[in-house]
Amino acid sequence: MAEPKFHKADAKDLLDDRGYRGTLIRGQNPALLMEKGVRDRIIDSYYWKEQCFGLNAATLCDRAAELKFIGGTSGIMGKPTPFLCLAFKLLQLIPPKEVILEYLNFSGDEGYESDEDRPKEEPRNADDEPAARNGDGSRILDPNAEGKLGEFKYLRCLAAFYIRLAWEPVEIYTTLEPLLTDFRKIKRRTKNGFQLTYVDQFIDDLLTKDRICATSLWKLPSRANLEDLDMLEPRESPLQEEADRSDDDDGDIELLEREEMEMDRDSDAGAGSSEQGD
Amino acid sequence: MSSQKQGAYGGAKTGGDTHRKTWDREEYAQRAKDHDHKSKEESKARYEAALAGKKYHRRASTPPDVRATEARQARLDVASRVGTTVLVGASAATGKRGKGAGFYCEACDLTFKDHLSYVEHSNSIQHLRAIGQSTEVAVATLEDVRNRLLWLKRKRDEEQRDVVVDLDTRLERNRLTEEQEQEEKRRKRREKRKNKKKADDDNVMKYESDDDGVIR
């Protein structure tokens, strides 16, 4: 059967906890990925009723482009941020993977028309992009995801958050890890105030923490675990080369230190002998 | 009275029984056929539903000009009338029905007392039907999403083109706008004074003559 061409404007079907018949995520209703309390607050919030009604994957970009901060809930009443409301909307829409990748890596150049021109497909030159292939086998889903690709950084964060909630572990690691080289500043709403953070910091939180943006994230198998199961290749850090070099330097320093110490000892011994001579 | 005889229904001349309604036989035959076909389909669907152990519900007919529901283009306007006074008829609204004090929905002829119930109403199926929308939203394809993002980027770039980071230029610009505002204020004040003076002059009884009141 073809894809349905329409979906409901409201979230009635999603919130029907007995007769939900839509797409499942890991065998359950996607709405359950957020906790009951925060879910209710989202549905009661004015932003949800006014701005999230009747959105589809394209019009959601309008709202995401207007985002000014990420975050979970704020204030004593636990008012949900627009970021969280839009994430919940994404859980209702469940856009296909390519749409999410477009959110994540929209580059803003209008050059490509056809699919062949898209930079996403294959790296032009494997030597230029060393992280394009991780080791020999496993390919990172999107080599161009590195650096400052997502034109709208809050849209990028939103997509990353959704990926962490909805996708499979291997995909999560391969898709989100290239984003660890995105060092742009972002604003984060805390319970009472704002905090400065960075995109890579947020991604790292997504991969390592179990609770973020007022949502308890589902238990992601650790990277080491997946590597043991041969589902993931070991991650090569962009700083690896530098770390190796500094290791070498450290070795040199140690050598130097040892030589110096020996020289000192020799000189001390020389001094002692001279004293003895007196 | 006209000499020419006209039929009871105007236009056609009497002669024979042409005043009777003529029936388009083909059209009605087609209608009957359609009706038969529809009822046959329906009974089939009912039979299948019964086999599956379900109850058959006939789908309500969709108006032909129904549109897909779309996301709001702008914020709901809830604050524009703050501080204004509106006269409301004493018996204008009973309950929510009719136009009264509050947020009025034109399409449904309902009035709401707060913006939360108003926005809830504007999301309701009742309202969407009244403004001729289906309650469904078209699914966006990858192409739609990309075009949207490109459009957003162009829009943002255009907005940012006017933004000047240089402090001196911004100070200069602020000074100019301030001067303009001052000038505007001054002009208004002058006009007001002039109007007042004119009104005062009008109130004084005047005697006008052609030759300045000189008696010759």
Side-chain angles (χ1 to χ4, degrees), chain A residues 152-180:
Chain A
F152 298 97
K153 53 187 176 180
Y154 292 106
L155 179 62
R156 190 172 218 202
C157 292
L158 186 67
F161 186 55
Y162 173 78
I163 287 171
R164 172 66 178 83
L165 286 176
W167 285 15
E168 296 303 318
V170 177
E171 289 168 335
I172 291 173
Y173 280 113
T174 48
T175 323
L176 292 190
E177 270 170 357
L179 268 65
L180 288 171

PDB file of all heavy atoms in Angstrom, chain A residues 152-180:
ATOM      1  N   PHE A 152      20.308  25.836  10.143  1.00  0.00           N
ATOM      2  CA  PHE A 152      19.538  26.281  11.302  1.00  0.00           C
ATOM      3  C   PHE A 152      19.938  25.410  12.479  1.00  0.00           C
ATOM      4  O   PHE A 152      19.599  24.231  12.547  1.00  0.00           O
ATOM      5  CB  PHE A 152      18.051  26.143  11.020  1.00  0.00           C
ATOM      6  CG  PHE A 152      17.594  26.977   9.873  1.00  0.00           C
ATOM      7  CD1 PHE A 152      17.475  26.432   8.611  1.00  0.00           C
ATOM      8  CD2 PHE A 152      17.322  28.312  10.048  1.00  0.00           C
ATOM      9  CE1 PHE A 152      17.068  27.211   7.546  1.00  0.00           C
ATOM     10  CE2 PHE A 152      16.917  29.092   8.990  1.00  0.00           C
ATOM     11  CZ  PHE A 152      16.790  28.543   7.744  1.00  0.00           C
ATOM     12  N   LYS A 153      20.681  25.974  13.416  1.00  0.00           N
ATOM     13  CA  LYS A 153      21.295  25.112  14.420  1.00  0.00           C
ATOM     14  C   LYS A 153      20.275  24.527  15.379  1.00  0.00           C
ATOM     15  O   LYS A 153      20.441  23.402  15.836  1.00  0.00           O
ATOM     16  CB  LYS A 153      22.388  25.856  15.171  1.00  0.00           C
ATOM     17  CG  LYS A 153      21.995  27.166  15.764  1.00  0.00           C
ATOM     18  CD  LYS A 153      23.225  27.859  16.327  1.00  0.00           C
ATOM     19  CE  LYS A 153      22.857  29.235  16.842  1.00  0.00           C
ATOM     20  NZ  LYS A 153      24.006  29.941  17.394  1.00  0.00           N
ATOM     21  N   TYR A 154      19.207  25.264  15.638  1.00  0.00           N
ATOM     22  CA  TYR A 154      18.208  24.699  16.555  1.00  0.00           C
ATOM     23  C   TYR A 154      17.393  23.608  15.877  1.00  0.00           C
ATOM     24  O   TYR A 154      16.963  22.654  16.522  1.00  0.00           O
ATOM     25  CB  TYR A 154      17.317  25.803  17.117  1.00  0.00           C
ATOM     26  CG  TYR A 154      18.079  26.720  18.030  1.00  0.00           C
ATOM     27  CD1 TYR A 154      18.439  27.990  17.657  1.00  0.00           C
ATOM     28  CD2 TYR A 154      18.505  26.259  19.263  1.00  0.00           C
ATOM     29  CE1 TYR A 154      19.181  28.800  18.488  1.00  0.00           C
ATOM     30  CE2 TYR A 154      19.240  27.059  20.109  1.00  0.00           C
ATOM     31  CZ  TYR A 154      19.577  28.330  19.717  1.00  0.00           C
ATOM     32  OH  TYR A 154      20.321  29.113  20.541  1.00  0.00           O
ATOM     33  N   LEU A 155      17.214  23.737  14.579  1.00  0.00           N
ATOM     34  CA  LEU A 155      16.575  22.651  13.828  1.00  0.00           C
ATOM     35  C   LEU A 155      17.452  21.409  13.880  1.00  0.00           C
ATOM     36  O   LEU A 155      16.981  20.280  14.004  1.00  0.00           O
ATOM     37  CB  LEU A 155      16.346  23.079  12.383  1.00  0.00           C
ATOM     38  CG  LEU A 155      15.701  22.052  11.470  1.00  0.00           C
ATOM     39  CD1 LEU A 155      14.317  21.699  11.945  1.00  0.00           C
ATOM     40  CD2 LEU A 155      15.630  22.536  10.045  1.00  0.00           C
ATOM     41  N   ARG A 156      18.754  21.642  13.821  1.00  0.00           N
ATOM     42  CA  ARG A 156      19.697  20.533  13.878  1.00  0.00           C
ATOM     43  C   ARG A 156      19.615  19.837  15.240  1.00  0.00           C
ATOM     44  O   ARG A 156      19.589  18.613  15.320  1.00  0.00           O
ATOM     45  CB  ARG A 156      21.101  21.065  13.644  1.00  0.00           C
ATOM     46  CG  ARG A 156      22.096  19.987  13.450  1.00  0.00           C
ATOM     47  CD  ARG A 156      23.443  20.511  13.026  1.00  0.00           C
ATOM     48  NE  ARG A 156      23.984  19.573  12.049  1.00  0.00           N
ATOM     49  CZ  ARG A 156      25.261  19.467  11.772  1.00  0.00           C
ATOM     50  NH1 ARG A 156      26.135  20.245  12.341  1.00  0.00           N
ATOM     51  NH2 ARG A 156      25.682  18.590  10.895  1.00  0.00           N
ATOM     52  N   CYS A 157      19.566  20.628  16.286  1.00  0.00           N
ATOM     53  CA  CYS A 157      19.444  20.055  17.627  1.00  0.00           C
ATOM     54  C   CYS A 157      18.144  19.274  17.759  1.00  0.00           C
ATOM     55  O   CYS A 157      18.106  18.204  18.362  1.00  0.00           O
ATOM     56  CB  CYS A 157      19.479  21.153  18.678  1.00  0.00           C
ATOM     57  SG  CYS A 157      21.059  21.946  18.809  1.00  0.00           S
ATOM     58  N   LEU A 158      17.098  19.838  17.185  1.00  0.00           N
ATOM     59  CA  LEU A 158      15.795  19.176  17.258  1.00  0.00           C
ATOM     60  C   LEU A 158      15.850  17.812  16.576  1.00  0.00           C
ATOM     61  O   LEU A 158      15.381  16.800  17.124  1.00  0.00           O
ATOM     62  CB  LEU A 158      14.757  20.073  16.575  1.00  0.00           C
ATOM     63  CG  LEU A 158      13.306  19.652  16.655  1.00  0.00           C
ATOM     64  CD1 LEU A 158      12.824  19.755  18.077  1.00  0.00           C
ATOM     65  CD2 LEU A 158      12.454  20.517  15.757  1.00  0.00           C
ATOM     66  N   ALA A 159      16.445  17.791  15.391  1.00  0.00           N
ATOM     67  CA  ALA A 159      16.551  16.529  14.660  1.00  0.00           C
ATOM     68  C   ALA A 159      17.398  15.534  15.442  1.00  0.00           C
ATOM     69  O   ALA A 159      17.061  14.344  15.526  1.00  0.00           O
ATOM     70  CB  ALA A 159      17.149  16.778  13.282  1.00  0.00           C
ATOM     71  N   ALA A 160      18.481  16.028  16.054  1.00  0.00           N
ATOM     72  CA  ALA A 160      19.351  15.137  16.822  1.00  0.00           C
ATOM     73  C   ALA A 160      18.603  14.541  18.010  1.00  0.00           C
ATOM     74  O   ALA A 160      18.716  13.350  18.315  1.00  0.00           O
ATOM     75  CB  ALA A 160      20.576  15.897  17.300  1.00  0.00           C
ATOM     76  N   PHE A 161      17.825  15.384  18.663  1.00  0.00           N
ATOM     77  CA  PHE A 161      17.038  14.935  19.808  1.00  0.00           C
ATOM     78  C   PHE A 161      16.035  13.863  19.376  1.00  0.00           C
ATOM     79  O   PHE A 161      15.882  12.820  20.030  1.00  0.00           O
ATOM     80  CB  PHE A 161      16.312  16.142  20.408  1.00  0.00           C
ATOM     81  CG  PHE A 161      15.573  15.872  21.676  1.00  0.00           C
ATOM     82  CD1 PHE A 161      16.227  15.327  22.766  1.00  0.00           C
ATOM     83  CD2 PHE A 161      14.235  16.168  21.788  1.00  0.00           C
ATOM     84  CE1 PHE A 161      15.557  15.090  23.941  1.00  0.00           C
ATOM     85  CE2 PHE A 161      13.553  15.931  22.960  1.00  0.00           C
ATOM     86  CZ  PHE A 161      14.218  15.385  24.033  1.00  0.00           C
ATOM     87  N   TYR A 162      15.394  14.111  18.228  1.00  0.00           N
ATOM     88  CA  TYR A 162      14.428  13.130  17.719  1.00  0.00           C
ATOM     89  C   TYR A 162      15.121  11.819  17.364  1.00  0.00           C
ATOM     90  O   TYR A 162      14.606  10.733  17.654  1.00  0.00           O
ATOM     91  CB  TYR A 162      13.711  13.717  16.497  1.00  0.00           C
ATOM     92  CG  TYR A 162      12.834  12.713  15.806  1.00  0.00           C
ATOM     93  CD1 TYR A 162      11.591  12.383  16.327  1.00  0.00           C
ATOM     94  CD2 TYR A 162      13.258  12.068  14.658  1.00  0.00           C
ATOM     95  CE1 TYR A 162      10.798  11.443  15.708  1.00  0.00           C
ATOM     96  CE2 TYR A 162      12.463  11.127  14.037  1.00  0.00           C
ATOM     97  CZ  TYR A 162      11.238  10.821  14.568  1.00  0.00           C
ATOM     98  OH  TYR A 162      10.460   9.878  13.966  1.00  0.00           O
ATOM     99  N   ILE A 163      16.294  11.938  16.749  1.00  0.00           N
ATOM    100  CA  ILE A 163      17.024  10.727  16.367  1.00  0.00           C
ATOM    101  C   ILE A 163      17.343   9.908  17.604  1.00  0.00           C
ATOM    102  O   ILE A 163      17.182   8.692  17.624  1.00  0.00           O
ATOM    103  CB  ILE A 163      18.305  11.111  15.595  1.00  0.00           C
ATOM    104  CG1 ILE A 163      17.944  11.591  14.198  1.00  0.00           C
ATOM    105  CG2 ILE A 163      19.258   9.936  15.509  1.00  0.00           C
ATOM    106  CD1 ILE A 163      19.093  12.196  13.448  1.00  0.00           C
ATOM    107  N   ARG A 164      17.778  10.597  18.650  1.00  0.00           N
ATOM    108  CA  ARG A 164      18.116   9.879  19.886  1.00  0.00           C
ATOM    109  C   ARG A 164      16.892   9.163  20.445  1.00  0.00           C
ATOM    110  O   ARG A 164      16.987   8.075  21.011  1.00  0.00           O
ATOM    111  CB  ARG A 164      18.684  10.868  20.907  1.00  0.00           C
ATOM    112  CG  ARG A 164      18.903  10.321  22.295  1.00  0.00           C
ATOM    113  CD  ARG A 164      19.989   9.269  22.309  1.00  0.00           C
ATOM    114  NE  ARG A 164      20.239   8.768  23.658  1.00  0.00           N
ATOM    115  CZ  ARG A 164      19.532   7.823  24.255  1.00  0.00           C
ATOM    116  NH1 ARG A 164      18.531   7.257  23.611  1.00  0.00           N
ATOM    117  NH2 ARG A 164      19.820   7.430  25.475  1.00  0.00           N
ATOM    118  N   LEU A 165      15.717   9.779  20.287  1.00  0.00           N
ATOM    119  CA  LEU A 165      14.518   9.166  20.836  1.00  0.00           C
ATOM    120  C   LEU A 165      14.013   8.026  19.969  1.00  0.00           C
ATOM    121  O   LEU A 165      13.529   7.014  20.477  1.00  0.00           O
ATOM    122  CB  LEU A 165      13.407  10.207  20.981  1.00  0.00           C
ATOM    123  CG  LEU A 165      13.523  11.212  22.110  1.00  0.00           C
ATOM    124  CD1 LEU A 165      12.394  12.207  22.029  1.00  0.00           C
ATOM    125  CD2 LEU A 165      13.480  10.504  23.446  1.00  0.00           C
ATOM    126  N   ALA A 166      14.093   8.200  18.648  1.00  0.00           N
ATOM    127  CA  ALA A 166      13.303   7.322  17.794  1.00  0.00           C
ATOM    128  C   ALA A 166      14.103   6.291  17.003  1.00  0.00           C
ATOM    129  O   ALA A 166      13.537   5.307  16.565  1.00  0.00           O
ATOM    130  CB  ALA A 166      12.492   8.175  16.824  1.00  0.00           C
ATOM    131  N   TRP A 167      15.387   6.518  16.812  1.00  0.00           N
ATOM    132  CA  TRP A 167      16.096   5.625  15.894  1.00  0.00           C
ATOM    133  C   TRP A 167      16.750   4.463  16.634  1.00  0.00           C
ATOM    134  O   TRP A 167      16.707   4.385  17.856  1.00  0.00           O
ATOM    135  CB  TRP A 167      17.131   6.407  15.097  1.00  0.00           C
ATOM    136  CG  TRP A 167      16.517   7.249  14.020  1.00  0.00           C
ATOM    137  CD1 TRP A 167      15.199   7.583  13.913  1.00  0.00           C
ATOM    138  CD2 TRP A 167      17.181   7.863  12.922  1.00  0.00           C
ATOM    139  NE1 TRP A 167      15.010   8.380  12.818  1.00  0.00           N
ATOM    140  CE2 TRP A 167      16.189   8.557  12.194  1.00  0.00           C
ATOM    141  CE3 TRP A 167      18.503   7.888  12.479  1.00  0.00           C
ATOM    142  CZ2 TRP A 167      16.502   9.272  11.038  1.00  0.00           C
ATOM    143  CZ3 TRP A 167      18.804   8.612  11.342  1.00  0.00           C
ATOM    144  CH2 TRP A 167      17.811   9.293  10.619  1.00  0.00           C
ATOM    145  N   GLU A 168      17.408   3.614  15.841  1.00  0.00           N
ATOM    146  CA  GLU A 168      18.060   2.431  16.401  1.00  0.00           C
ATOM    147  C   GLU A 168      19.476   2.783  16.863  1.00  0.00           C
ATOM    148  O   GLU A 168      20.079   3.721  16.346  1.00  0.00           O
ATOM    149  CB  GLU A 168      18.110   1.331  15.338  1.00  0.00           C
ATOM    150  CG  GLU A 168      16.738   0.857  14.918  1.00  0.00           C
ATOM    151  CD  GLU A 168      15.898   0.356  16.089  1.00  0.00           C
ATOM    152  OE1 GLU A 168      16.457  -0.361  16.948  1.00  0.00           O
ATOM    153  OE2 GLU A 168      14.714   0.703  16.166  1.00  0.00           O
ATOM    154  N   PRO A 169      20.017   2.025  17.822  1.00  0.00           N
ATOM    155  CA  PRO A 169      21.309   2.401  18.440  1.00  0.00           C
ATOM    156  C   PRO A 169      22.440   2.636  17.451  1.00  0.00           C
ATOM    157  O   PRO A 169      23.133   3.660  17.538  1.00  0.00           O
ATOM    158  CB  PRO A 169      21.621   1.206  19.324  1.00  0.00           C
ATOM    159  CG  PRO A 169      20.355   0.514  19.527  1.00  0.00           C
ATOM    160  CD  PRO A 169      19.427   0.860  18.443  1.00  0.00           C
ATOM    161  N   VAL A 170      22.615   1.714  16.486  1.00  0.00           N
ATOM    162  CA  VAL A 170      23.748   1.866  15.570  1.00  0.00           C
ATOM    163  C   VAL A 170      23.591   3.136  14.747  1.00  0.00           C
ATOM    164  O   VAL A 170      24.542   3.901  14.558  1.00  0.00           O
ATOM    165  CB  VAL A 170      23.854   0.627  14.660  1.00  0.00           C
ATOM    166  CG1 VAL A 170      24.967   0.804  13.663  1.00  0.00           C
ATOM    167  CG2 VAL A 170      24.065  -0.616  15.488  1.00  0.00           C
ATOM    168  N   GLU A 171      22.362   3.372  14.307  1.00  0.00           N
ATOM    169  CA  GLU A 171      22.108   4.586  13.520  1.00  0.00           C
ATOM    170  C   GLU A 171      22.347   5.830  14.363  1.00  0.00           C
ATOM    171  O   GLU A 171      22.869   6.828  13.865  1.00  0.00           O
ATOM    172  CB  GLU A 171      20.661   4.594  13.034  1.00  0.00           C
ATOM    173  CG  GLU A 171      20.376   3.581  11.974  1.00  0.00           C
ATOM    174  CD  GLU A 171      18.881   3.438  11.751  1.00  0.00           C
ATOM    175  OE1 GLU A 171      18.101   3.729  12.671  1.00  0.00           O
ATOM    176  OE2 GLU A 171      18.511   3.028  10.653  1.00  0.00           O
ATOM    177  N   ILE A 172      21.970   5.758  15.611  1.00  0.00           N
ATOM    178  CA  ILE A 172      22.160   6.908  16.484  1.00  0.00           C
ATOM    179  C   ILE A 172      23.631   7.270  16.557  1.00  0.00           C
ATOM    180  O   ILE A 172      24.023   8.421  16.353  1.00  0.00           O
ATOM    181  CB  ILE A 172      21.609   6.623  17.890  1.00  0.00           C
ATOM    182  CG1 ILE A 172      20.103   6.523  17.852  1.00  0.00           C
ATOM    183  CG2 ILE A 172      22.017   7.724  18.857  1.00  0.00           C
ATOM    184  CD1 ILE A 172      19.492   6.088  19.145  1.00  0.00           C
ATOM    185  N   TYR A 173      24.464   6.245  16.795  1.00  0.00           N
ATOM    186  CA  TYR A 173      25.900   6.538  16.915  1.00  0.00           C
ATOM    187  C   TYR A 173      26.474   7.041  15.599  1.00  0.00           C
ATOM    188  O   TYR A 173      27.201   8.023  15.555  1.00  0.00           O
ATOM    189  CB  TYR A 173      26.647   5.285  17.370  1.00  0.00           C
ATOM    190  CG  TYR A 173      26.547   5.060  18.857  1.00  0.00           C
ATOM    191  CD1 TYR A 173      25.862   3.973  19.365  1.00  0.00           C
ATOM    192  CD2 TYR A 173      27.139   5.949  19.744  1.00  0.00           C
ATOM    193  CE1 TYR A 173      25.764   3.769  20.726  1.00  0.00           C
ATOM    194  CE2 TYR A 173      27.047   5.756  21.101  1.00  0.00           C
ATOM    195  CZ  TYR A 173      26.362   4.657  21.594  1.00  0.00           C
ATOM    196  OH  TYR A 173      26.256   4.482  22.931  1.00  0.00           O
ATOM    197  N   THR A 174      26.126   6.368  14.513  1.00  0.00           N
ATOM    198  CA  THR A 174      26.754   6.758  13.245  1.00  0.00           C
ATOM    199  C   THR A 174      26.265   8.111  12.763  1.00  0.00           C
ATOM    200  O   THR A 174      26.993   8.818  12.079  1.00  0.00           O
ATOM    201  CB  THR A 174      26.479   5.703  12.162  1.00  0.00           C
ATOM    202  OG1 THR A 174      25.100   5.393  12.176  1.00  0.00           O
ATOM    203  CG2 THR A 174      27.295   4.459  12.387  1.00  0.00           C
ATOM    204  N   THR A 175      25.034   8.471  13.106  1.00  0.00           N
ATOM    205  CA  THR A 175      24.515   9.743  12.617  1.00  0.00           C
ATOM    206  C   THR A 175      24.908  10.908  13.506  1.00  0.00           C
ATOM    207  O   THR A 175      25.185  12.005  13.018  1.00  0.00           O
ATOM    208  CB  THR A 175      22.976   9.705  12.541  1.00  0.00           C
ATOM    209  OG1 THR A 175      22.574   8.419  12.135  1.00  0.00           O
ATOM    210  CG2 THR A 175      22.473  10.716  11.571  1.00  0.00           C
ATOM    211  N   LEU A 176      24.917  10.668  14.800  1.00  0.00           N
ATOM    212  CA  LEU A 176      25.134  11.798  15.700  1.00  0.00           C
ATOM    213  C   LEU A 176      26.613  12.081  15.958  1.00  0.00           C
ATOM    214  O   LEU A 176      26.972  13.204  16.247  1.00  0.00           O
ATOM    215  CB  LEU A 176      24.420  11.558  17.035  1.00  0.00           C
ATOM    216  CG  LEU A 176      22.892  11.564  16.962  1.00  0.00           C
ATOM    217  CD1 LEU A 176      22.298  11.563  18.346  1.00  0.00           C
ATOM    218  CD2 LEU A 176      22.381  12.765  16.197  1.00  0.00           C
ATOM    219  N   GLU A 177      27.451  11.062  15.854  1.00  0.00           N
ATOM    220  CA  GLU A 177      28.849  11.303  16.205  1.00  0.00           C
ATOM    221  C   GLU A 177      29.545  12.325  15.299  1.00  0.00           C
ATOM    222  O   GLU A 177      30.350  13.112  15.795  1.00  0.00           O
ATOM    223  CB  GLU A 177      29.616   9.989  16.244  1.00  0.00           C
ATOM    224  CG  GLU A 177      29.554   9.390  17.637  1.00  0.00           C
ATOM    225  CD  GLU A 177      30.079   7.990  17.703  1.00  0.00           C
ATOM    226  OE1 GLU A 177      30.446   7.445  16.653  1.00  0.00           O
ATOM    227  OE2 GLU A 177      30.116   7.442  18.802  1.00  0.00           O
ATOM    228  N   PRO A 178      29.255  12.347  13.997  1.00  0.00           N
ATOM    229  CA  PRO A 178      29.878  13.410  13.185  1.00  0.00           C
ATOM    230  C   PRO A 178      29.522  14.815  13.666  1.00  0.00           C
ATOM    231  O   PRO A 178      30.251  15.757  13.406  1.00  0.00           O
ATOM    232  CB  PRO A 178      29.309  13.153  11.796  1.00  0.00           C
ATOM    233  CG  PRO A 178      28.934  11.731  11.794  1.00  0.00           C
ATOM    234  CD  PRO A 178      28.519  11.397  13.169  1.00  0.00           C
ATOM    235  N   LEU A 179      28.409  14.954  14.380  1.00  0.00           N
ATOM    236  CA  LEU A 179      28.002  16.275  14.861  1.00  0.00           C
ATOM    237  C   LEU A 179      28.846  16.754  16.025  1.00  0.00           C
ATOM    238  O   LEU A 179      28.714  17.903  16.455  1.00  0.00           O
ATOM    239  CB  LEU A 179      26.536  16.236  15.296  1.00  0.00           C
ATOM    240  CG  LEU A 179      25.488  16.607  14.262  1.00  0.00           C
ATOM    241  CD1 LEU A 179      25.468  15.605  13.137  1.00  0.00           C
ATOM    242  CD2 LEU A 179      24.138  16.665  14.904  1.00  0.00           C
ATOM    243  N   LEU A 180      29.698  15.894  16.528  1.00  0.00           N
ATOM    244  CA  LEU A 180      30.536  16.304  17.647  1.00  0.00           C
ATOM    245  C   LEU A 180      31.606  17.300  17.232  1.00  0.00           C
ATOM    246  O   LEU A 180      32.374  17.776  18.052  1.00  0.00           O
ATOM    247  CB  LEU A 180      31.185  15.081  18.286  1.00  0.00           C
ATOM    248  CG  LEU A 180      30.228  14.189  19.083  1.00  0.00           C
ATOM    249  CD1 LEU A 180      30.898  12.913  19.481  1.00  0.00           C
ATOM    250  CD2 LEU A 180      29.718  14.922  20.292  1.00  0.00           C
TER     251      LEU A 180
END
